[in-house]
Amino acid sequence: MSGRARLMWDEAVTGYDFGSSHPMDPVRLALTMGLVRAFGLDGEVDVRSAKPAGDSTLRLVHREDYVAAVRAASADPGYADQAYGLGTVDDPAFAGMHEASALIAGLSVGAAEAVWRGESAHAVNFTGGLHHAMPGAASGFCVYNDPALAIARLLELGAERVAYVDVDVHHGDGVQAAFWEDPRVLTVSLHEHPRTLFPQTGWPEETGAGEGEGGAVNVALPAGTGDAGWLRAFHAVVPELLADFRPQVLVTQHGADTHFEDPLAHLAVSLDAQRAVMTACHELAHSCTEEGRWVALGGGGYAVVDVVPRSWTHLVGIAAHAPVDPESVIPSSWRDEVYARTRQLGPARMTDGRTPSWKPWEDGYDPADRLDQAVLATRRSAFPLRGLLT
């Protein structure tokens, strides 16, 4: 197993562009890679591109008629079929949509292949994490579901146990749906409660079906949850599940939209807590998987200057075993790039100035506390199905 982490990158991913008025601005990807370079992390990782996912790969998750509809809308956006979720407010059609989406999917599949084949212990594709796309429809800014495709490719290559942990502020509904009845995949999603946020799924009672019963785990966090509650919930659920499941590969999704500055959601998590969860996922990859196999993806995040580039640069550094000191001053060259691209002033440091801490679940819980109620609902719904105590 190579000790050098892989970073999947291709400039063409910035072609995944829903238009100037859409919150998913591809500048967030360019700025992230710019910050990775500004800190010299591109020298600490093996930077690679990959071929776009072809039809046979896309069909591991997506229906053939849906892929054909994406191709048609990509060639002529005016004929996007809304029956497939295309040409909507969330997922407007654009020229080259299939090509850009297939490239992002190909990068995540390439990351999974590199980790499975032992070319790298860890692989990052921060351009991926498009977890809402369904087998037959685009949804929530996502055209092809690259996390599900990466997992499906791992299964195709012979993996028998893959764990997926999603800490985006939105429920990882598309990945859950793809493996709802598959006992080889454990999906765990921590997200804002479906009462207050898209996609209105991810209730603790959603636990899988058939042979996959108990394979879906959902933590629905109250709006307003901050660092202490978010970290408490993560550590009350994820480590125990992974230690029991013993995945051969850990796939994680690190949407940056849990941040208190994000304009589309209602959690109050800091960059420093996001970094703490990335570090925890890295440690879990080493403690719970064979040879530390870890595929780390991006996801949502709509504070495209202040939050996303810093968050995912931390992710790259952690995966590379070259973590960026939160107190680091951000290079002026990158801040100049920010201003040139956006006419905004970039952040000065790699921290929000927080020192996150949390109370371990093992120390007891408060039945009147909303966060503890959310954690307890998850443990009561999912843990017994896996033979674990609540």
Side-chain angles (χ1 to χ4, degrees), residues 170-226:
H170 301 92
H171 177 224
D173 57 339
V175 185
Q176 175 179 284
F179 304 105
W180 186 245
E181 298 184 15
D182 194 330
R184 298 172 297 174
V185 181
L186 172 68
T187 65
V188 186
S189 179
L190 287 83
H191 47 266
E192 185 179 329
H193 202 286
R195 285 197 190 96
T196 54
L197 196 66
F198 174 91
Q200 284 79 52
T201 58
W203 298 79
E205 295 79 14
E206 296 173 30
T207 55
E211 292 185 0
E213 186 178 18
V217 181
N218 290 287
V219 187
L221 301 168
T225 297

Side-chain angles (χ1 to χ4, degrees), residues 119-163:
E119 297 168 11
S120 300
H122 310 329
V124 178
N125 177 26
F126 60 75
T127 75
L130 305 179
H131 59 171
H132 294 307
M134 293 293 176
S139 177
F141 313 164
C142 306
V143 178
Y144 293 139
N145 195 316
D146 65 281
L149 288 163
I151 294 167
R153 178 61 174 148
L154 288 167
L155 299 177
E156 187 178 50
L157 290 171
E160 297 175 347
R161 295 181 310 282
V162 180

Side-chain angles (χ1 to χ4, degrees), residues 1-10 33 36 41-51 106-127 282 292-297 312 315-321:
M1 180 74 70
S2 170
R4 193 171 177 85
R6 183 161 295 187
L7 175 60
M8 309 304 295
W9 174 253
D10 191 308
M33 192 61 194
V36 166
L41 292 173
D42 54 329
E44 301 290 339
V45 294
D46 182 14
V47 181
R48 298 282 189 97
S49 183
K51 293 181 179 178
L107 294 176
S108 290
V109 169
E113 290 174 342
V115 166
W116 182 253
R117 292 169 177 162
E119 297 168 11
S120 300
H122 310 329
V124 178
N125 177 26
F126 60 75
T127 75
H282 180 213
R293 291 185 174 120
W294 182 31
V295 177
L297 308 173
W312 293 345
L315 180 63
V316 173
I318 290 164
H321 295 139

Side-chain angles (χ1 to χ4, degrees), residues 113-351:
E113 290 174 342
V115 166
W116 182 253
R117 292 169 177 162
E119 297 168 11
S120 300
H122 310 329
V124 178
N125 177 26
F126 60 75
T127 75
L130 305 179
H131 59 171
H132 294 307
M134 293 293 176
S139 177
F141 313 164
C142 306
V143 178
Y144 293 139
N145 195 316
D146 65 281
L149 288 163
I151 294 167
R153 178 61 174 148
L154 288 167
L155 299 177
E156 187 178 50
L157 290 171
E160 297 175 347
R161 295 181 310 282
V162 180
Y164 173 74
V165 176
D166 188 319
V167 296
D168 192 288
V169 79
H170 301 92
H171 177 224
D173 57 339
V175 185
Q176 175 179 284
F179 304 105
W180 186 245
E181 298 184 15
D182 194 330
R184 298 172 297 174
V185 181
L186 172 68
T187 65
V188 186
S189 179
L190 287 83
H191 47 266
E192 185 179 329
H193 202 286
R195 285 197 190 96
T196 54
L197 196 66
F198 174 91
Q200 284 79 52
T201 58
W203 298 79
E205 295 79 14
E206 296 173 30
T207 55
E211 292 185 0
E213 186 178 18
V217 181
N218 290 287
V219 187
L221 301 168
T225 297
D227 289 358
W230 194 62
L231 292 168
R232 176 169 166 80
F234 178 92
H235 287 282
V237 172
V238 176
E240 190 171 350
L241 288 169
L242 295 187
D244 172 71
F245 187 62
R246 297 178 298 108
Q248 293 163 294
V249 185
L250 175 62
V251 180
T252 58
Q253 197 268 22
H254 297 271
D257 44 9
T258 52
H259 196 272
F260 55 76
E261 287 187 16
D262 198 273
L264 299 189
H266 318 97
L267 295 191
V269 173
S270 71
L271 180 73
D272 304 285
Q274 291 178 346
R275 184 179 183 275
V277 160
M278 294 168 186
T279 300
C281 288
H282 180 213
E283 292 170 352
L284 287 166
H286 281 289
S287 65
C288 295
T289 78
E290 298 177 1
E291 302 184 72
R293 291 185 174 120
W294 182 31
V295 177
L297 308 173
Y302 309 100
V304 300
V305 170
D306 284 349
V307 178
V308 174
R310 293 190 297 161
S311 185
W312 293 345
T313 296
H314 277 306
L315 180 63
V316 173
I318 290 164
H321 295 139
V324 178
D325 185 339
E327 295 297 329
S328 296
V329 174
I330 293 176
S332 59
S333 60
W334 183 78
R335 300 185 74 202
D336 291 343
E337 180 186 355
V338 168
Y339 190 77
R341 288 180 178 272
T342 69
R343 291 298 183 264
Q344 296 182 44
L345 297 177
R349 292 183 181 271
M350 291 294 287
T351 178

